Short mmCIF file of all heavy atoms in Angstrom, two decimals:
data_model
loop_
_atom_site.label_atom_id
_atom_site.label_comp_id
_atom_site.label_asym_id
_atom_site.label_seq_id
_atom_site.Cartn_x
_atom_site.Cartn_y
_atom_site.Cartn_z
N HIS V 1 8.55 1.71 -6.22
CA HIS V 1 7.96 3.03 -5.99
C HIS V 1 7.88 3.22 -4.47
O HIS V 1 7.36 2.36 -3.76
CB HIS V 1 6.56 3.12 -6.60
CG HIS V 1 6.54 2.79 -8.05
ND1 HIS V 1 6.70 3.73 -9.03
CD2 HIS V 1 6.39 1.60 -8.70
CE1 HIS V 1 6.65 3.14 -10.22
NE2 HIS V 1 6.46 1.85 -10.03
N ALA V 2 8.38 4.34 -3.98
CA ALA V 2 8.42 4.60 -2.54
C ALA V 2 7.03 4.85 -1.97
O ALA V 2 6.25 5.63 -2.52
CB ALA V 2 9.33 5.78 -2.24
N LEU V 3 6.73 4.17 -0.87
CA LEU V 3 5.50 4.43 -0.11
C LEU V 3 5.81 5.27 1.12
O LEU V 3 5.06 6.15 1.49
CB LEU V 3 4.85 3.12 0.34
CG LEU V 3 4.21 2.25 -0.72
CD1 LEU V 3 3.75 0.92 -0.13
CD2 LEU V 3 3.02 2.96 -1.34
N ALA V 4 6.93 4.94 1.79
CA ALA V 4 7.30 5.66 3.01
C ALA V 4 8.82 5.64 3.16
O ALA V 4 9.48 4.72 2.69
CB ALA V 4 6.66 4.99 4.22
N VAL V 5 9.33 6.67 3.81
CA VAL V 5 10.75 6.75 4.11
C VAL V 5 10.92 7.01 5.60
O VAL V 5 9.94 7.31 6.29
CB VAL V 5 11.46 7.84 3.28
CG1 VAL V 5 11.47 7.49 1.81
CG2 VAL V 5 10.80 9.20 3.49
N ALA V 6 12.12 6.91 6.09
CA ALA V 6 12.40 7.09 7.52
C ALA V 6 11.73 8.35 8.06
O ALA V 6 11.74 9.40 7.42
CB ALA V 6 13.91 7.16 7.75
N GLY V 7 11.15 8.21 9.24
CA GLY V 7 10.51 9.35 9.88
C GLY V 7 9.08 9.60 9.47
O GLY V 7 8.45 10.53 9.96
N SER V 8 8.52 8.79 8.58
CA SER V 8 7.13 9.02 8.15
C SER V 8 6.17 8.06 8.83
O SER V 8 5.13 7.74 8.30
CB SER V 8 7.02 8.90 6.62
OG SER V 8 7.29 7.56 6.22
N GLY V 9 6.54 7.58 10.03
CA GLY V 9 5.72 6.62 10.78
C GLY V 9 4.33 7.13 11.06
O GLY V 9 4.02 8.31 10.91
N GLY V 10 3.49 6.24 11.50
CA GLY V 10 2.09 6.56 11.76
C GLY V 10 1.23 6.09 10.62
O GLY V 10 1.69 5.94 9.49
N ARG V 11 -0.02 5.84 10.92
CA ARG V 11 -0.96 5.33 9.91
C ARG V 11 -1.12 6.36 8.79
O ARG V 11 -1.36 7.54 9.05
CB ARG V 11 -2.29 5.02 10.57
CG ARG V 11 -3.22 4.26 9.69
CD ARG V 11 -4.39 3.74 10.49
NE ARG V 11 -5.38 3.10 9.65
CZ ARG V 11 -6.34 2.34 10.11
NH1 ARG V 11 -6.45 2.13 11.42
NH2 ARG V 11 -7.21 1.79 9.29
N GLN V 12 -1.00 5.90 7.55
CA GLN V 12 -1.10 6.78 6.39
C GLN V 12 -1.65 6.03 5.18
O GLN V 12 -1.67 4.80 5.16
CB GLN V 12 0.25 7.40 6.06
CG GLN V 12 1.37 6.40 5.89
CD GLN V 12 2.74 7.06 5.92
OE1 GLN V 12 3.13 7.64 4.93
NE2 GLN V 12 3.44 6.96 7.03
N SER V 13 -2.09 6.78 4.21
CA SER V 13 -2.63 6.21 2.98
C SER V 13 -1.91 6.85 1.80
O SER V 13 -1.78 8.07 1.73
CB SER V 13 -4.13 6.48 2.88
OG SER V 13 -4.67 5.91 1.72
N VAL V 14 -1.43 5.99 0.87
CA VAL V 14 -0.71 6.47 -0.30
C VAL V 14 -1.33 5.83 -1.54
O VAL V 14 -1.62 4.64 -1.56
CB VAL V 14 0.79 6.11 -0.22
CG1 VAL V 14 1.52 6.50 -1.48
CG2 VAL V 14 1.44 6.75 1.01
N THR V 15 -1.53 6.65 -2.58
CA THR V 15 -2.04 6.15 -3.85
C THR V 15 -0.94 6.31 -4.90
O THR V 15 -0.37 7.39 -5.03
CB THR V 15 -3.30 6.93 -4.29
OG1 THR V 15 -4.31 6.74 -3.29
CG2 THR V 15 -3.82 6.44 -5.62
N ILE V 16 -0.68 5.21 -5.62
CA ILE V 16 0.38 5.20 -6.63
C ILE V 16 -0.16 4.63 -7.93
O ILE V 16 -0.72 3.53 -7.94
CB ILE V 16 1.57 4.33 -6.16
CG1 ILE V 16 2.22 4.95 -4.94
CG2 ILE V 16 2.59 4.14 -7.27
CD1 ILE V 16 3.37 4.16 -4.39
N PRO V 17 0.00 5.37 -9.05
CA PRO V 17 -0.34 4.80 -10.36
C PRO V 17 0.87 4.10 -10.97
O PRO V 17 1.98 4.62 -10.91
CB PRO V 17 -0.73 6.03 -11.18
CG PRO V 17 0.08 7.14 -10.58
CD PRO V 17 0.28 6.79 -9.12
N ILE V 18 0.66 2.90 -11.51
CA ILE V 18 1.75 2.14 -12.12
C ILE V 18 1.30 1.66 -13.50
O ILE V 18 0.29 0.96 -13.62
CB ILE V 18 2.16 0.93 -11.25
CG1 ILE V 18 2.65 1.40 -9.88
CG2 ILE V 18 3.22 0.10 -11.96
CD1 ILE V 18 2.95 0.28 -8.91
N GLN V 19 2.04 2.05 -14.51
CA GLN V 19 1.76 1.63 -15.89
C GLN V 19 1.90 0.11 -15.98
O GLN V 19 2.89 -0.45 -15.49
CB GLN V 19 2.73 2.33 -16.84
CG GLN V 19 2.62 1.91 -18.28
CD GLN V 19 1.38 2.39 -18.95
OE1 GLN V 19 0.29 1.93 -18.64
NE2 GLN V 19 1.51 3.31 -19.87
N LEU V 20 0.94 -0.58 -16.60
CA LEU V 20 0.97 -2.04 -16.67
C LEU V 20 1.38 -2.60 -18.03
O LEU V 20 1.71 -3.78 -18.12
CB LEU V 20 -0.41 -2.62 -16.33
CG LEU V 20 -0.86 -2.47 -14.89
CD1 LEU V 20 -2.25 -3.09 -14.71
CD2 LEU V 20 0.13 -3.09 -13.93
N SER V 21 1.38 -1.81 -19.08
CA SER V 21 1.61 -2.34 -20.43
C SER V 21 2.90 -3.13 -20.57
O SER V 21 2.97 -4.05 -21.37
CB SER V 21 1.58 -1.22 -21.47
OG SER V 21 0.28 -0.68 -21.55
N ASP V 22 3.92 -2.80 -19.80
CA ASP V 22 5.19 -3.52 -19.90
C ASP V 22 5.40 -4.52 -18.76
O ASP V 22 6.48 -5.05 -18.60
CB ASP V 22 6.36 -2.53 -19.94
CG ASP V 22 6.46 -1.69 -18.69
OD1 ASP V 22 5.47 -1.60 -17.93
OD2 ASP V 22 7.54 -1.11 -18.45
N LYS V 23 4.35 -4.81 -18.00
CA LYS V 23 4.48 -5.72 -16.87
C LYS V 23 4.15 -7.16 -17.29
O LYS V 23 3.42 -7.40 -18.23
CB LYS V 23 3.55 -5.30 -15.73
CG LYS V 23 3.81 -3.90 -15.22
CD LYS V 23 5.23 -3.70 -14.75
CE LYS V 23 5.48 -2.35 -14.14
NZ LYS V 23 6.19 -1.43 -14.96
N LEU V 24 4.69 -8.11 -16.53
CA LEU V 24 4.51 -9.53 -16.81
C LEU V 24 3.20 -10.01 -16.21
O LEU V 24 2.94 -9.83 -15.02
CB LEU V 24 5.68 -10.33 -16.23
CG LEU V 24 5.70 -11.81 -16.52
CD1 LEU V 24 5.84 -12.06 -18.02
CD2 LEU V 24 6.85 -12.47 -15.79
N GLN V 25 2.38 -10.62 -17.04
CA GLN V 25 1.08 -11.13 -16.60
C GLN V 25 1.13 -12.66 -16.61
O GLN V 25 1.57 -13.26 -17.58
CB GLN V 25 -0.01 -10.62 -17.54
CG GLN V 25 -1.40 -10.83 -17.04
CD GLN V 25 -2.42 -10.08 -17.91
OE1 GLN V 25 -2.16 -9.76 -19.06
NE2 GLN V 25 -3.57 -9.81 -17.35
N ASP V 26 0.69 -13.27 -15.52
CA ASP V 26 0.71 -14.73 -15.40
C ASP V 26 -0.40 -15.33 -16.27
O ASP V 26 -1.26 -14.61 -16.79
CB ASP V 26 0.52 -15.13 -13.94
CG ASP V 26 1.12 -16.47 -13.61
OD1 ASP V 26 1.47 -17.21 -14.54
OD2 ASP V 26 1.22 -16.79 -12.41
N THR V 27 -0.39 -16.64 -16.43
CA THR V 27 -1.38 -17.31 -17.28
C THR V 27 -2.80 -17.14 -16.75
O THR V 27 -3.75 -17.21 -17.53
CB THR V 27 -1.06 -18.81 -17.41
OG1 THR V 27 -0.93 -19.37 -16.10
CG2 THR V 27 0.22 -19.03 -18.20
N ASP V 28 -2.98 -16.92 -15.45
CA ASP V 28 -4.32 -16.69 -14.90
C ASP V 28 -4.71 -15.21 -14.96
O ASP V 28 -5.69 -14.79 -14.36
CB ASP V 28 -4.44 -17.22 -13.48
CG ASP V 28 -3.56 -16.47 -12.48
OD1 ASP V 28 -2.79 -15.56 -12.89
OD2 ASP V 28 -3.64 -16.79 -11.28
N ARG V 29 -3.93 -14.42 -15.68
CA ARG V 29 -4.13 -12.97 -15.88
C ARG V 29 -3.81 -12.13 -14.65
O ARG V 29 -4.10 -10.95 -14.60
CB ARG V 29 -5.54 -12.66 -16.38
CG ARG V 29 -5.87 -13.32 -17.69
CD ARG V 29 -6.17 -12.32 -18.71
NE ARG V 29 -6.29 -13.01 -19.99
CZ ARG V 29 -6.72 -12.45 -21.06
NH1 ARG V 29 -7.08 -11.21 -21.03
NH2 ARG V 29 -6.77 -13.10 -22.17
N SER V 30 -3.23 -12.74 -13.63
CA SER V 30 -2.88 -11.97 -12.44
C SER V 30 -1.54 -11.27 -12.66
O SER V 30 -0.76 -11.64 -13.53
CB SER V 30 -2.79 -12.87 -11.21
OG SER V 30 -1.70 -13.76 -11.32
N ILE V 31 -1.32 -10.25 -11.86
CA ILE V 31 -0.02 -9.58 -11.83
C ILE V 31 0.50 -9.66 -10.40
O ILE V 31 -0.28 -9.74 -9.45
CB ILE V 31 -0.10 -8.11 -12.30
CG1 ILE V 31 -1.14 -7.33 -11.51
CG2 ILE V 31 -0.37 -8.04 -13.79
CD1 ILE V 31 -1.16 -5.85 -11.80
N ASP V 32 1.81 -9.70 -10.26
CA ASP V 32 2.44 -9.82 -8.95
C ASP V 32 2.82 -8.45 -8.42
O ASP V 32 3.54 -7.70 -9.08
CB ASP V 32 3.70 -10.68 -9.04
CG ASP V 32 3.41 -12.11 -9.44
OD1 ASP V 32 2.30 -12.59 -9.16
OD2 ASP V 32 4.29 -12.75 -10.03
N VAL V 33 2.37 -8.16 -7.20
CA VAL V 33 2.73 -6.93 -6.50
C VAL V 33 3.58 -7.33 -5.30
O VAL V 33 3.20 -8.22 -4.54
CB VAL V 33 1.47 -6.15 -6.05
CG1 VAL V 33 1.85 -4.94 -5.22
CG2 VAL V 33 0.65 -5.74 -7.26
N MET V 34 4.72 -6.68 -5.16
CA MET V 34 5.63 -7.00 -4.05
C MET V 34 5.92 -5.74 -3.24
O MET V 34 6.14 -4.66 -3.80
CB MET V 34 6.95 -7.55 -4.59
CG MET V 34 7.92 -8.03 -3.54
SD MET V 34 7.55 -9.63 -2.86
CE MET V 34 8.08 -10.70 -4.19
N PHE V 35 5.89 -5.90 -1.91
CA PHE V 35 6.28 -4.83 -0.99
C PHE V 35 7.69 -5.13 -0.50
O PHE V 35 8.02 -6.27 -0.16
CB PHE V 35 5.33 -4.77 0.21
CG PHE V 35 3.94 -4.35 -0.16
CD1 PHE V 35 2.96 -5.30 -0.41
CD2 PHE V 35 3.61 -3.01 -0.24
CE1 PHE V 35 1.67 -4.92 -0.76
CE2 PHE V 35 2.33 -2.61 -0.58
CZ PHE V 35 1.36 -3.57 -0.85
N PHE V 36 8.53 -4.09 -0.45
CA PHE V 36 9.92 -4.20 -0.02
C PHE V 36 10.11 -3.31 1.20
O PHE V 36 9.99 -2.09 1.10
CB PHE V 36 10.87 -3.73 -1.13
CG PHE V 36 10.73 -4.50 -2.41
CD1 PHE V 36 9.78 -4.14 -3.36
CD2 PHE V 36 11.54 -5.59 -2.67
CE1 PHE V 36 9.65 -4.84 -4.55
CE2 PHE V 36 11.41 -6.30 -3.85
CZ PHE V 36 10.46 -5.93 -4.79
N ALA V 37 10.40 -3.93 2.34
CA ALA V 37 10.59 -3.17 3.58
C ALA V 37 12.06 -3.20 3.98
O ALA V 37 12.71 -4.24 3.92
CB ALA V 37 9.73 -3.77 4.69
N THR V 38 12.56 -2.05 4.41
CA THR V 38 13.93 -1.95 4.89
C THR V 38 13.89 -1.37 6.30
O THR V 38 13.38 -0.26 6.50
CB THR V 38 14.79 -1.04 3.99
OG1 THR V 38 14.69 -1.51 2.64
CG2 THR V 38 16.23 -1.03 4.43
N ALA V 39 14.39 -2.13 7.27
CA ALA V 39 14.41 -1.68 8.65
C ALA V 39 15.80 -1.18 9.00
O ALA V 39 16.81 -1.60 8.41
CB ALA V 39 14.03 -2.82 9.59
N GLU V 40 15.87 -0.28 9.97
CA GLU V 40 17.16 0.22 10.42
C GLU V 40 17.93 -0.92 11.08
O GLU V 40 17.40 -1.65 11.91
CB GLU V 40 16.97 1.37 11.42
CG GLU V 40 18.27 2.04 11.80
CD GLU V 40 18.04 3.28 12.64
OE1 GLU V 40 16.91 3.76 12.73
OE2 GLU V 40 19.03 3.75 13.22
N GLY V 41 19.16 -1.10 10.67
CA GLY V 41 19.98 -2.17 11.23
C GLY V 41 19.50 -3.56 10.83
O GLY V 41 19.79 -4.54 11.50
N ALA V 42 18.75 -3.66 9.72
CA ALA V 42 18.18 -4.94 9.30
C ALA V 42 19.25 -5.98 9.06
O ALA V 42 19.10 -7.13 9.46
CB ALA V 42 17.33 -4.76 8.04
#
């Protein structure tokens, strides 16, 4: 789910709802959240 795209720099706050019913839950009942960053010329 996109949080920011090119040109949206600066401090910001984004709220995203994500359905969990089909997500994988670990044995300790935690769920894994991952952030994916793409830099120009990465």
Side-chain angles (χ1 to χ4, degrees):
H1 305 270
L3 289 174
V5 293
S8 66
R11 191 168 175 165
Q12 53 194 282
S13 181
V14 175
T15 300
I16 294 179
I18 299 174
Q19 176 71 290
L20 291 180
S21 293
D22 62 342
K23 302 303 185 255
L24 184 64
Q25 192 170 22
D26 206 347
T27 53
D28 66 356
R29 300 241 172 170
S30 67
I31 54 173
D32 296 332
V33 175
M34 185 78 76
F35 293 95
F36 301 86
T38 306
E40 187 173 346

